[in-house]
Amino acid sequence: MAASYGPLIRAEQEQSLQMPENAAELTKICLRRGDVTALDDVSLALPAGQTTAVLGASGSGKSTLVQLLIGLLAPDSGTVTTLGSPLSPDNLQTLRKRIGYAIQEVALLPHMRIRENILLPAVLSDWSDEEQDARLTELLQLMQLPDTVLDRYPHELSGGQQQRAGLCRALMLRPDLLLLDEPFSGLDTMTRRSIHEQFLLMRQSMPITTVLVTHDPEEAIRLAEYIVIMRAGKVQQFGRVKEVLERPANDYVRELCTGISGTVE
Amino acid sequence: MLMIGAATAQAEPVVIGSKLFAESYILAEASAQLLESKGYEVDRRFGLNGTKIAFEALQNGAIDLYPEYTGTITEVILTQPDLKEPGEIRNALEEIDLQLLEALGFNNAYAIAASTVSAERYSLRRISDIPGAPPLRIALPHEFMNRQDGWPGLLQHYGFEREADGIEHSLAYKAINADQVDIIAVYTSDGQIAQSDLVILEDDLEFFPDYLAAFLAREDLDSDVRKIVELLSGRLNDRRMRELNLAVLDPDASYAEIASGFLLEEGLISSADRSRTVYDDLLRNTQRHLKLTLIALALAIITGVGIASVVYPHRRLADAFLYFTGLLQTVPSIALLALLIPLVGVGQTPAIIALFLYSLLPIARSSITAMLAIPPGYRQVAAAMAMTPGQEMKFVLMPLAMPHVIAGIRTAAVISIGTATLAAFIGAGGLGDPIVTGLALNDTQLILQGAIPAAVLAILTEILFGFVERSLVVPHMRSSARPG
């Protein structure tokens, strides 16, 4: 099964052909971190080509869920299937090359210029200079980043620019799965709004399966088609955004969603 | 071992040691110049700090010979104080593969001296004359007052009682010259005796053991070398040695000049060898100093950074390693050097090991701290990019840890340059050589010949590491760019 995926799939048209219906699946996942139960019997199937928001308060297990999908954490029990393959040490590195990952801290390497930071995944994958340049131009346009940032160091950029550069890096290898762990949380409201627009535009042109971790219900509803609501390591509800809003599964979900209109961050 | 030693004696330089006082320097230097005048190459390991270190050095082959005294040999080295006859001593030394060359001709023993005025006043010529004299003002070194081979033993041996006061050895001469005391204890070859108006009282009942000076050498010393060094045998007496010791006290005279003066006078050399200049010494000492420091530092960088990169993810292991290196840091350097002597002998090896151990803590600590301080986000992103451990080290861990690691290496380097001056105490050479010699001979100029270049080296090291940091670290990540 894993052998049918090449080490790298660069052409975007190949994605849709090989993409299974569910881009990622968690089956009966339990995970303890220290004394805390981070995930308690979680089963989820994330639909391909869609954005699924994972919504919950801090400590609800939402970041843990994403870290499982890219193998940064291993479950105590249960199986993780990413892009059609059950995660194992053997296929982990191959699968990671097909996953884009961006986090709230951005973690652009401070000793590298923005150009080097964005291109790093391509350098690690031995892309030619022409391929790198072409992809870089594409991504800058997509994320509305000016050329002038390329020769700067991360600390010389605004928070919004850094996060855009982080997204460029995550998208560098044309991933089949995009994992975003609260990338917009640290930004001010204005910047967040404009980067939300960019995100939606990007999703229109590139329908990559996306998992977006957020603690902001408004953001979840605005950007995602599906929504997972987490609380204390358990899934409260999983479904289309509309479903969840119209038929909340319990009081917690109802409270979370009724607050939306009043939520101002 | 013996075979190899004998076979290579011609090609290898003769290694001559000395202990940490003027007389030992003069004798060792005289033998060195004599050998050099006969075409031998000589490696000087002067200023060994104590009989134990000098003797260890001889035993494990770090030096070939050094000047010693029969009394010290029987008391300290053989621990057989009953041996008196040179023949017996030679036999006992043979059993531990050492040989005693023919005696130089003077005795550096304890003696009782009276000022000429007091000697005349009270008719003092022999120690036996003391009990017959009226109460005398007697001042003795503290150690001498308490040793069985000192004052208590002497009173017992001669069968009389006299009160004595304790005094610093160096002050005793001042006191007797000022006629504040009548009688003091001296070493028979003290230079100050020649300068002071003193009479040495005859040890008529033969209480004091002899401290006859002679070169102590390894059994496998080349026989030609032995013959040349023995040209010095019998050339000295107590009076002549006192003059030489006194000459060293002159701040304008170096022990090397005094040694060559003596050899010229004795007709053993035809001209003083002026080829060894201050600059030659400076160059040689600096090279040795850098060699010791660089080898130790390189080993400490490899070990420190290597171990740090392995242990840092394991908190307990990292702590244990830091405790261990911290513990090493608390061992005083002189004590550490002394501890290493039974294990690896004297010379450059123990010096390099000691410097290595001292450098380990700052390097390991800064590396571990730096790697632990890397925010987890960077490592998550690195893993998510499917980096191999090698790529993670190259692109993420090392660059992020670099400023701290460089700071640690910089600290270690400066500490090492300072500590390496102590290596001279165990015959490793370096810029500590002139410092140690200068301290022993009270020669400020000599001390500065070591201290100034060592300080300059430390400053240059700081500057060098500034360049290293500039070439390896982007401006905003340099230690100078970070507040605090």
Side-chain angles (χ1 to χ4, degrees):
Chain A
M1 184 67 182
S4 67
Y5 297 108
L8 268 180
I9 298 174
R10 288 177 202 161
E12 271 163 38
Q13 65 267 28
E14 280 182 61
Q15 292 177 4
S16 52
L17 295 174
Q18 298 197 353
M19 189 55 60
E21 199 182 329
N22 290 323
E25 273 178 64
L26 301 172
T27 317
K28 295 182 184 275
I29 298 290
C30 290
L31 177 65
R32 295 183 67 80
R33 301 181 84 170
D35 292 337
V36 183
T37 304
L39 291 177
D40 184 5
D41 193 26
V42 170
S43 293
L44 279 175
L46 305 177
Q50 308 289 315
T51 298
T52 304
V54 183
L55 180 63
S58 42
S60 61
K62 55 190 193 308
S63 287
T64 308
L65 203 142
V66 178
Q67 291 181 6
L68 279 169
L69 290 175
I70 195 168
L72 293 176
L73 292 172
D76 296 334
S77 63
T79 49
V80 179
T81 306
T82 302
L83 296 169
S85 306
L87 278 194
S88 77
D90 296 335
N91 64 11
L92 191 57
Q93 296 295 76
T94 318
L95 283 175
R96 279 175 174 172
K97 299 250 178 195
R98 300 176 52 205
I99 303 173
Y101 183 62
I103 58 177
Q104 183 182 353
E105 305 92 301
V106 197
L108 292 168
L109 295 168
H111 57 284
M112 290 184 178
R113 296 173 197 278
I114 296 301
R115 181 197 310 278
E116 300 164 308
N117 262 295
I118 295 176
L119 288 176
L120 185 55
V123 170
L124 292 173
S125 293
D126 297 320
W127 282 24
S128 71
D129 289 352
E130 294 76 31
E131 285 175 296
Q132 290 181 24
D133 288 345
R135 182 64 177 158
L136 186 62
T137 314
E138 239 170 73
L139 288 170
L140 288 182
Q141 210 159 24
L142 190 69
M143 283 296 146
Q144 302 268 298
L145 269 176
D147 283 356
T148 49
V149 301
L150 288 177
D151 289 321
R152 302 219 187 122
Y153 286 101
H155 72 286
E156 296 168 320
L157 269 58
S158 71
Q161 286 176 321
Q162 288 185 23
Q163 201 50 264
R164 283 170 221 254
L167 285 171
C168 287
R169 180 176 65 183
L171 292 167
M172 188 70 212
L173 298 184
R174 300 188 179 88
D176 298 325
L177 176 63
L178 186 59
L179 303 178
L180 306 175
D181 192 348
E182 305 215 40
F184 313 127
S185 298
L187 306 175
D188 63 81
T189 316
M190 289 296 288
T191 312
R192 187 154 18 148
R193 256 183 218 147
S194 100
I195 210 167
H196 280 170
E197 296 300 325
Q198 234 109 57
F199 176 80
L200 289 170
L201 280 172
M202 177 204 84
R203 292 283 295 110
Q204 273 175 8
S205 62
M206 279 193 293
I208 309 170
T209 311
T210 303
V211 182
L212 170 70
V213 172
T214 178
H215 63 267
D216 175 5
E218 209 170 15
E219 182 173 275
I221 290 160
R222 187 153 187 222
L223 300 182
E225 285 89 36
Y226 286 80
I227 201 163
V228 180
I229 294 175
M230 299 288 299
R231 187 191 185 192
K234 281 185 189 292
V235 176
Q236 303 297 307
Q237 191 168 5
F238 171 46
R240 289 189 169 274
V241 173
K242 197 163 177 272
E243 275 170 41
V244 174
L245 285 177
E246 287 171 1
R247 288 186 293 279
N250 55 35
D251 289 347
Y252 180 75
V253 177
R254 184 174 302 116
E255 203 179 322
L256 201 66
C257 295
T258 49
I260 292 171
S261 54
T263 301
V264 179
E265 293 249 340
Chain B
M1 276 298 278
L2 290 178
M3 291 292 291
I4 296 164
T8 54
Q10 291 296 97
E12 298 277 317
V14 182
V15 189
I16 300 177
S18 92
K19 293 211 254 177
L20 196 51
F21 50 88
E23 189 170 288
S24 200
Y25 274 98
I26 296 170
L27 297 173
E29 178 64 23
S31 69
Q33 289 186 13
L34 192 53
L35 282 167
E36 281 170 342
S37 75
K38 309 282 182 193
Y40 282 85
E41 206 184 311
V42 173
D43 191 353
R44 291 167 172 79
R45 300 283 171 83
F46 294 176
L48 300 171
N49 193 10
T51 304
K52 192 176 154 47
I53 289 176
F55 172 60
E56 289 272 2
L58 192 63
Q59 270 213 313
N60 68 25
I63 60 174
D64 295 320
L65 71 161
Y66 78 98
E68 191 48 282
Y69 304 90
T70 53
T72 310
I73 291 170
T74 54
E75 296 266 349
V76 183
I77 294 177
L78 298 170
T79 56
Q80 291 176 277
D82 298 337
L83 293 184
K84 300 279 185 224
E85 292 304 313
E88 293 173 340
I89 297 173
R90 288 210 159 79
N91 288 341
L93 284 172
E94 233 166 75
E95 282 171 34
I96 51 172
D97 297 326
L98 297 180
Q99 56 174 329
L100 191 64
L101 307 197
E102 286 300 322
L104 292 163
F106 71 92
N107 189 8
N108 185 4
Y110 274 127
I112 301 297
S115 65
T116 312
V117 184
S118 304
E120 276 173 18
R121 196 183 299 152
Y122 306 117
S123 316
L124 301 172
R125 278 193 307 109
R126 306 168 304 171
I127 294 178
S128 310
D129 294 335
I130 295 175
L136 297 167
R137 296 165 298 169
I138 303 176
L140 306 170
H142 299 280
E143 192 195 355
F144 183 79
M145 291 213 341
N146 296 314
R147 282 171 63 142
Q148 198 45 46
D149 60 346
W151 191 241
L154 182 141
L155 293 178
Q156 215 176 340
H157 191 81
Y158 277 86
F160 67 89
E161 280 296 331
R162 280 286 159 142
E163 289 296 319
D165 295 320
I167 192 169
E168 274 301 314
H169 183 68
S170 54
L171 294 178
Y173 288 102
K174 283 187 181 152
I176 203 163
N177 287 337
D179 196 27
Q180 287 169 345
V181 296
D182 301 310
I183 283 181
I184 60 173
V186 298
Y187 294 107
T188 45
S189 59
D190 277 348
Q192 291 96 327
I193 295 176
Q195 212 178 21
S196 312
D197 209 358
L198 292 181
V199 176
I200 295 204
L201 302 185
E202 188 194 332
D203 183 13
D204 49 328
L205 295 185
E206 291 182 351
F207 167 70
F208 289 118
D210 281 340
Y211 278 75
L212 298 173
F215 276 94
L216 186 59
R218 290 171 63 80
E219 185 88 277
D220 56 10
L221 184 71
D222 183 76
S223 61
D224 292 334
V225 172
R226 180 190 167 129
K227 275 178 204 149
I228 293 166
V229 175
E230 283 190 331
L231 291 174
L232 295 168
S233 299
R235 302 257 177 187
L236 285 158
N237 55 34
D238 294 3
R239 179 181 300 274
R240 189 80 184 88
M241 194 66 234
R242 276 175 217 153
E243 286 167 11
L244 298 177
N245 281 335
L246 182 65
V248 174
L249 297 178
D250 179 352
D252 291 334
S254 75
Y255 68 88
E257 286 164 4
I258 289 157
S260 53
F262 164 71
L263 293 174
L264 277 171
E265 226 172 282
E266 292 291 324
L268 290 171
I269 56 172
S270 50
S271 66
D273 181 9
R274 297 283 78 200
S275 63
R276 239 162 58 98
T277 66
V278 172
Y279 298 102
D280 291 338
D281 285 346
L282 183 67
L283 193 67
R284 192 170 44 92
N285 290 332
T286 308
Q287 277 172 347
R288 173 63 65 82
H289 205 87
L290 284 175
K291 180 185 162 195
L292 296 175
T293 315
L294 286 179
I295 294 177
L297 201 61
L299 291 174
I301 292 171
I302 295 167
T303 316
V305 177
I307 292 182
S309 60
V310 174
V311 302
Y312 85 95
H314 315 288
R315 195 65 216 219
R316 284 201 186 151
L317 213 56
D319 281 344
F321 179 60
L322 287 180
Y323 284 139
F324 171 70
T325 52
L327 199 66
L328 286 174
Q329 210 77 9
T330 64
V331 181
S333 25
I334 277 291
L336 183 60
L337 291 173
L339 285 173
L340 286 169
I341 288 170
L343 302 175
V344 292
V346 298
Q348 299 183 53
T349 312
I352 289 171
I353 293 176
L355 292 175
F356 160 74
L357 292 175
Y358 284 125
S359 303
L360 209 49
L361 177 72
I363 294 176
R365 169 158 287 167
S366 62
S367 306
I368 290 177
T369 315
M371 291 187 196
L372 283 177
I374 294 174
Y378 291 116
R379 309 205 54 214
Q380 285 169 8
V381 166
M385 274 187 235
M387 283 192 191
T388 62
Q391 288 172 333
E392 190 183 1
M393 194 45 88
K394 177 182 167 192
F395 289 107
V396 183
L397 296 181
M398 269 335 277
L400 291 177
M402 191 65 85
H404 283 98
V405 174
I406 290 176
I409 295 173
R410 184 179 192 154
T411 307
V414 174
I415 290 176
S416 281
I417 283 172
T419 311
T421 54
L422 296 174
F425 280 126
I426 53 167
L431 290 168
D433 233 20
I435 297 178
V436 163
T437 308
L439 286 173
L441 307 184
N442 198 15
D443 184 337
T444 314
Q445 214 180 338
L446 211 50
I447 295 173
L448 292 179
Q449 278 175 30
I452 291 174
V456 170
L457 269 191
I459 293 167
L460 287 179
T461 305
E462 283 284 348
I463 294 170
L464 175 74
F465 272 92
F467 282 120
V468 170
E469 191 181 36
R470 234 164 289 169
S471 65
L472 292 179
V473 181
V474 293
H476 60 276
M477 288 177 68
R478 285 174 200 156
S479 48
S480 52
R482 285 194 307 268

